[in-house]
Amino acid sequence: MVRIKRRSPVDYRLCNQTVTLYHWDGGDVYARRVIEKGAFLDFKKTQDVSKTGSKEVNSFLLVIPCDEVTVAVGDKVLHGEGPEILTREDWAGLIPAKVPGLGVIRYVDPKYWMDRLVHVEAGG
């Protein structure tokens, strides 16, 4: 009998950054999860052109190799290891205009290979 090892066609060598994920449950719980050297976070600036002119638009892509979904729309992600968030005021102050390297997640897109979740892409 020959055993075939199935490997993902995706290379995760670039998922070597540390990020901090923040989640608020809508009540009193503010969760902080540091992913050490296991994520990829890339910020991008583009120009959005409309009838009234153009403006700079910031976006980002977050990739987390995993076997379960760990990110939700509305969560926040910070490049590096971020501070604890304990209160509603802390959460409200955690905004991209005040905190460099912070993004608010607007979409979550789980990716599967061979019927198995291999990574989650999220962005905003």
Side-chain angles (χ1 to χ4, degrees):
M1 175 182 197
V2 176
R3 185 173 208 120
I4 299 171
K5 184 174 182 179
R6 295 181 177 149
R7 293 180 15 194
S8 171
V10 182
D11 183 356
Y12 292 110
R13 284 182 288 177
L14 295 177
C15 293
N16 60 3
Q17 298 171 331
T18 297
V19 299
T20 304
L21 287 173
Y22 295 97
H23 177 79
W24 177 44
D25 72 350
D28 296 331
V29 178
Y30 300 91
R32 172 182 171 262
R33 179 177 175 212
V34 177
I35 301 172
E36 291 190 37
K37 299 181 181 179
F40 175 80
L41 180 61
D42 183 45
F43 289 91
K44 180 168 84 170
K45 292 184 182 200
T46 60
Q47 290 292 318
D48 184 29
V49 180
S50 67
K51 292 179 188 178
T52 59
S54 68
K55 65 179 180 177
E56 186 176 89
V57 178
N58 296 314
S59 64
F60 68 92
L61 170 67
L62 172 66
V63 178
I64 303 172
C66 64
D67 51 11
E68 65 181 58
V69 177
T70 58
V71 183
V73 171
D75 286 357
K76 299 175 183 183
V77 62
L78 179 65
H79 187 265
E81 186 169 344
E84 292 283 343
I85 299 297
L86 303 173
T87 66
R88 175 80 176 114
E89 292 76 27
D90 292 343
W91 179 263
L94 193 64
I95 58 174
K98 290 183 179 179
V99 181
L102 180 78
V104 179
I105 294 171
R106 301 286 179 224
Y107 71 88
V108 177
D109 191 9
K111 299 297 183 179
Y112 293 85
W113 185 75
M114 303 285 293
D115 295 327
R116 188 178 131 245
L117 179 65
V118 291
H119 73 260
V120 174
E121 294 179 11

